[in-house]
Amino acid sequence: MPNTFEAKSSHNQLHDINEALGSGQTELAKEMLHQLQPGDLALLLESSRSRNRLDIWQLIQPDLYSDVLEELSDDVRNGIIRKMLPEKVADALEEMDTDNLVDTLRGLPQEVAQNLLAAMDEQDRSRAELGLSYGEETAGFIMNTDAITLRPGINVDVILRYLRLKGDMPEHTDTLYVVDRDYRLMGGVALTRLITAAAATPIESLMKTSEAIPASMMDNEVASLFERYNWLSAPVVDENNQLLGRITIDDVVDIIREDAEHSMMSMAGLDDEEDTFAPVIKSTQRRSIWLGVNLLTALMAAAVSDLFEAALSQLAVLAILNTIVPSMGGVAGNQTLTLVIRGMALGHVNSANARWLISKELAIGFLNGVIWSVLIASVIAIWKQDLMLGAVIAFAMLINMIAAGLAGASLPIIMKKLKIDPALAGSVILTTITDVVGIFAFLGSATWLLI
């Protein structure tokens, strides 16, 4: 049966610990923290105000530092590391898996990272430098170097005695990799086959060819391969087929979660590692850039409306109806944009089918334009008793829906070729296009036909 404190929600845990710290009951707070698992401690730190985190961190058992740091978001983790002595951080990082170690070092200022590398022992420094030598979001960056390797020419009995002597195996080990004298990957032996085979069975008869992942492969492609082939782990090799390490399913789950968070936060112009409880000035600075971009795009749409100031002053009804066409185009375009970005993330959209996809979305935009232009024309003609006004807004709706389909399908493809994240900037550019085209089509045709 779980103790009382463990059964409480994270909200109550945080309240109780803060209350204990505020009243000077440090030993009580420490006792509460000692009852929590690393994941719970990380959640507690991320849920605390930035000024209280160091107080909580100093009460956590030092032998849990490594596990807790692995669970923290980049912003919170880096904030804590900057306040620790390099020797203490180096001790904590020693116990980290290679992928988490590399990710932690990459997120720190260069000077801090260099000081930490200098404080590490040679083995930890070499595995960190190997991961750091590969680009972020590549297989080499996220791999672990803890793969168990075997040499050909031995039998099952020798391997099992070796494993018993070794003791613990790395987490999520389902395959042992066979390499030659130059450490080139020859194949893999499934752990389930190994423990059920006869002791005299040679390793070659159990070995199967392993699908290896190049160290330069992007992490989203790695995630797609794991999903497609239902892997639990996979070896990572360099350009000479030399074994570097392995990627496991827990790494892939992290990639999928981070990609989902990145897409969600990018649509609002935020960093996916944004600290909810960061200081006011820091949060304001981060958000101001995106707000500035949005202001510029809004001014562009306003400038188009300004071109037709005379028409708006003569027919007040145009000002009333002016928001309908851009709004419909924006919604339709974002539907297409989201669908194409998702298809690209899953590997469904590529250069072979991109042209067909754009043609399809153009056709959908045209059909939607016809349907909704007829509907809005009927509504406006009845409401305002003006057939020509209904025809004008119908024409603008048709044009903008076609533009929305074209922009929503083509923008992510173009932006990817330009190495711009479509999840980050696609929505803003699309909204600008649909606003400008919608306003220009509506007010332009109204000026021509009604004034």
Side-chain angles (χ1 to χ4, degrees):
M1 180 177 177
N3 61 52
T4 306
F5 187 70
E6 289 177 331
K8 291 183 178 181
S9 68
S10 59
H11 172 77
N12 289 335
Q13 291 171 350
L14 180 61
H15 178 269
D16 290 347
I17 290 171
N18 283 335
E19 194 174 75
L21 288 172
S23 60
Q25 297 177 289
T26 306
E27 289 303 317
L28 176 59
K30 184 185 291 187
E31 183 183 342
M32 293 176 177
L33 291 171
H34 287 183
Q35 297 175 30
L36 298 180
Q37 297 297 316
D40 296 323
L41 290 168
L43 178 61
L44 197 65
L45 285 164
E46 291 177 343
S47 303
S48 302
R49 297 179 184 179
S50 56
R51 65 186 181 188
N52 295 339
R53 285 173 182 156
L54 190 59
D55 293 335
I56 295 175
W57 178 258
Q58 291 171 341
L59 298 178
I60 295 174
Q61 299 174 80
D63 59 342
L64 291 179
Y65 281 176
S66 174
D67 294 330
V68 176
L69 287 172
E70 285 187 3
E71 300 291 337
L72 290 172
S73 64
D74 288 354
D75 249 15
V76 178
R77 180 174 60 208
N78 294 345
I80 289 174
I81 286 176
R82 287 192 186 98
K83 296 174 182 177
M84 296 174 65
L85 294 172
E87 296 78 15
K88 294 287 186 182
V89 180
D91 290 342
L93 298 186
E94 281 180 3
E95 304 300 323
M96 276 192 178
D97 293 336
T98 304
D99 57 333
N100 291 317
L101 171 61
V102 172
D103 186 45
T104 299
L105 292 173
R106 180 64 65 89
L108 293 170
Q110 188 173 2
E111 184 180 349
V112 177
Q114 289 299 327
N115 290 338
L116 290 178
L117 283 170
M120 291 179 183
D121 60 39
E122 187 175 346
Q123 182 179 359
D124 288 322
R125 189 184 309 116
S126 62
R127 67 188 179 103
E129 288 175 344
L130 175 62
L132 289 169
S133 67
Y134 293 98
E136 198 170 357
E137 299 182 353
T138 62
F141 186 80
I142 62 172
M143 70 179 177
N144 281 308
T145 56
D146 58 358
I148 297 178
T149 57
L150 309 170
R151 290 286 175 84
I154 56 177
N155 60 30
V156 170
D157 182 52
V158 173
I159 298 169
L160 291 178
R161 281 191 281 116
Y162 163 71
L163 292 177
R164 292 190 194 101
L165 184 65
K166 182 179 176 62
D168 293 337
M169 286 194 292
E171 289 184 357
H172 308 291
T173 296
D174 66 319
T175 302
L176 311 184
Y177 300 109
V178 183
V179 296
D180 63 14
R181 291 186 180 276
D182 296 320
Y183 225 70
R184 284 191 291 263
L185 181 66
M186 299 176 64
V189 178
L191 197 58
T192 51
R193 295 194 68 193
L194 186 67
I195 61 177
T196 56
T201 305
I203 192 66
E204 287 81 1
S205 64
L206 300 177
M207 184 176 70
K208 286 188 175 182
T209 302
S210 291
E211 293 287 341
I213 296 173
S216 58
M217 180 180 283
M218 298 304 293
D219 60 6
N220 58 343
E221 296 178 46
V222 173
S224 296
L225 289 175
F226 268 76
E227 180 187 13
R228 191 179 310 155
Y229 299 117
N230 294 318
W231 290 340
L232 294 178
S233 67
V236 179
V237 296
D238 64 10
E239 62 275 8
N240 299 316
N241 200 43
Q242 289 181 317
L243 183 66
L244 298 174
R246 66 187 184 122
I247 295 175
T248 55
I249 188 65
D250 62 317
D251 302 319
V252 175
V253 170
D254 288 340
I255 293 167
I256 295 170
R257 177 182 56 79
E258 288 167 6
D259 283 350
E261 288 180 359
H262 174 71
S263 296
M264 180 182 69
M265 299 291 278
S266 293
M267 289 182 179
L270 297 173
D271 187 344
D272 49 319
E273 294 290 347
E274 178 86 19
D275 180 5
T276 306
F277 295 96
V280 172
I281 300 299
K282 185 178 180 181
S283 296
T284 303
Q285 289 173 338
R286 286 184 170 180
R287 300 181 195 185
S288 293
I289 298 173
W290 199 246
L291 290 171
V293 172
N294 276 277
L295 179 60
L296 289 175
T297 61
L299 287 172
M300 289 176 63
V304 175
S305 297
D306 186 61
L307 295 174
F308 303 98
E309 184 178 0
L312 288 167
S313 64
Q314 291 182 49
L315 279 176
V317 70
L318 297 181
I320 297 172
L321 303 177
N322 193 32
T323 59
I324 296 175
V325 175
S327 175
M328 288 291 289
V331 172
N334 272 299
Q335 288 177 336
T336 304
L337 183 79
T338 303
L339 186 69
V340 174
I341 290 175
R342 173 180 172 272
M344 291 169 64
L346 295 174
H348 298 164
V349 179
N350 51 55
S351 56
N353 56 27
R355 185 172 297 180
W356 180 88
L357 179 62
I358 292 172
S359 300
K360 174 204 166 190
E361 293 301 329
L362 265 174
I364 293 173
F366 176 77
L367 286 175
N368 270 330
V370 170
I371 293 168
W372 295 105
S373 61
V374 169
L375 180 61
I376 192 64
S378 302
V379 171
I380 297 302
I382 295 171
W383 179 23
K384 296 298 180 181
Q385 298 294 303
D386 191 334
L387 287 173
M388 186 57 72
L389 181 59
V392 165
I393 198 169
F395 169 76
M397 181 75 73
L398 177 61
I399 295 298
N400 206 27
M401 294 294 268
I402 293 173
L406 176 62
S410 59
L411 271 176
I413 297 169
I414 295 170
M415 294 175 76
K416 186 176 181 182
K417 288 183 178 179
L418 297 174
K419 300 189 182 301
I420 301 172
D421 185 359
L424 179 61
S427 180
V428 173
I429 297 174
L430 174 71
T431 303
T432 303
I433 291 171
T434 54
D435 283 354
V436 170
V437 171
I439 292 170
F440 190 86
F442 178 56
L443 296 181
S445 56
T447 301
W448 180 38
L449 298 172
L450 299 178
I451 305 300

